[in-house]
Amino acid sequence: MWEYEKRLQFPVKITKPNAKIAQVIISQYGGPDGEMGASMRYLSQRYATPYREVAGVLTDIGTEELAHLEMVAAIVYQLTKNLSMDEIEASGFDKYYVDHTLGIWPQAAGGVPFNACEFQSKGDIITDLFEDMAAEQKARTTYDNILRLVKDPEVCEPIKFLREREIVHFQRFGEALRLTQERLDSKNFYAFNPGFDKESCC
């Protein structure tokens, strides 16, 4: 059970609509390394996690990713709000518009729709935590790319905040991995499992 505070984690106040920027930002809503996939990844992985502390980290970060999804949606909405048909056509936003009008819909910048194949929940704590650390770095790289393309400070400030949180999440997952490796029975730790050596398999 969560308690929902009805405010964005970081304020989004964009005064200049820009559909070209919106088409870039939307990738962090439903793209391959976006906030929707991150939230679903961590909130799914937590159930098979053998340690309560690690499950707590996955729950905390998975919940925060929902807040980030909300921020990205607010950015895209404010960038496309009240666009004229001329602006929509000139920006190339017409293809999105024909299917979704100005509604928020999960897709990558290239137009590929979100699907669950974009995140992994393996049920092996080592595998999942390495997946999570890589996911945070990929999201950070995507935000880096956005900041190279976007110069509007009203857009850049919330994007910089989101980028910083990816770095914090990477660090927290690193701590969770160290905790797991300290506690995991060496017989079950994939790198040392004698049951998977060549002699026993052949």
Side-chain angles (χ1 to χ4, degrees), residues 18-24 26 76 79-81 83 87-104 107:
N18 187 320
K20 283 192 174 181
I21 293 177
Q23 292 172 84
V24 172
I26 204 165
V76 173
L79 284 169
T80 57
K81 185 180 178 183
L83 287 172
E87 290 170 320
I88 288 170
E89 289 180 42
S91 66
F93 201 63
D94 50 346
K95 297 175 187 66
Y96 180 94
Y97 178 86
V98 78
D99 289 329
H100 310 293
T101 319
L102 297 178
I104 307 302
Q107 69 172 45

Side-chain angles (χ1 to χ4, degrees), residues 19-35 72 76 91-97 100 105-115 118 142-143 145-146 149-150:
K20 283 192 174 181
I21 293 177
Q23 292 172 84
V24 172
I25 302 293
I26 204 165
S27 219
Q28 280 303 88
Y29 191 74
D33 304 307
E35 305 293 355
V72 174
V76 173
S91 66
F93 201 63
D94 50 346
K95 297 175 187 66
Y96 180 94
Y97 178 86
H100 310 293
W105 190 74
Q107 69 172 45
V112 178
F114 175 81
N115 73 73
E118 291 170 349
T142 303
Y143 282 126
N145 293 341
I146 288 170
L149 293 167
V150 177

Side-chain angles (χ1 to χ4, degrees), residues 139-195:
R140 190 264 310 154
T141 301
T142 303
Y143 282 126
D144 285 347
N145 293 341
I146 288 170
L147 289 168
R148 290 184 186 103
L149 293 167
V150 177
K151 304 306 175 191
D152 183 343
E154 293 180 338
V155 179
C156 289
E157 288 311 304
I159 294 298
K160 286 177 183 176
F161 170 82
L162 291 167
R163 180 191 181 279
E164 289 170 4
R165 296 307 299 163
E166 306 299 348
I167 294 168
V168 172
H169 294 172
F170 175 80
Q171 293 167 339
R172 290 198 65 201
F173 283 133
E175 293 163 5
L177 179 62
R178 283 190 292 278
L179 182 149
T180 297
Q181 289 172 324
E182 287 169 5
R183 293 189 180 182
L184 205 56
D185 186 324
S186 62
K187 290 180 181 178
N188 297 321
F189 184 13
Y190 75 97
F192 306 109
N193 194 324

Side-chain angles (χ1 to χ4, degrees), residues 17-55:
N18 187 320
K20 283 192 174 181
I21 293 177
Q23 292 172 84
V24 172
I25 302 293
I26 204 165
S27 219
Q28 280 303 88
Y29 191 74
D33 304 307
E35 305 293 355
M36 182 173 286
S39 179
M40 296 299 98
R41 177 186 300 109
Y42 309 143
L43 294 177
S44 298
Q45 288 176 354
R46 69 188 179 127
Y47 292 99
T49 300
Y51 306 116
R52 289 178 58 86
E53 298 92 334
V54 177

